[in-house]
Amino acid sequence: MNPSQQTFDVKGMTCGHCERAVTQAVKRVDPAAQVKVDRQAGKVEVQSAQPREQIAHAIAEEGYAVQ
Ligand SMILES: [Cu+2]
C-alpha cells in the first residue's frame, strides 16, 4: 500500500512535549511515518500507509481529542 497524506485535528497539544508524544504515538503505529505537528493550529499531518483509524486511536490514547 502506498503512503497517503492524512490530516488530523488534534486538541490539547500545548507544548513541545505534546508534539513529541503525538509524534511518537504515530510512529509506534508506523515507524516509517512522516509526522508534522502544528500545535498552534491543532493539526497533525501524517504520511503513512497505515489506516487512519489506527493512527487516530494511537493519538487518542496519549490523551488528546482527535478527529
Ligand atoms: Cu505539552
Side-chain angles (χ1 to χ4, degrees):
M1 219 197 303
N2 289 324
S4 63
Q5 185 74 25
Q6 308 184 38
T7 304
F8 299 88
D9 289 309
V10 180
K11 291 207 176 92
M13 298 184 294
T14 54
C15 67
H17 170 265
C18 297
E19 293 189 359
R20 282 192 297 280
V22 168
T23 300
Q24 273 159 24
V26 175
K27 284 183 182 271
R28 276 198 295 276
V29 175
D30 178 5
Q34 307 274 333
V35 186
K36 246 190 274 173
V37 179
D38 182 343
R39 70 171 181 267
Q40 249 98 41
K43 298 268 182 207
V44 178
E45 304 266 353
V46 178
Q47 188 86 30
S48 173
Q50 292 303 307
R52 184 181 173 85
E53 284 285 280
Q54 222 175 310
I55 295 170
H57 182 73
I59 295 171
E61 278 201 324
E62 289 297 317
Y64 303 97
V66 57
Q67 276 188 323

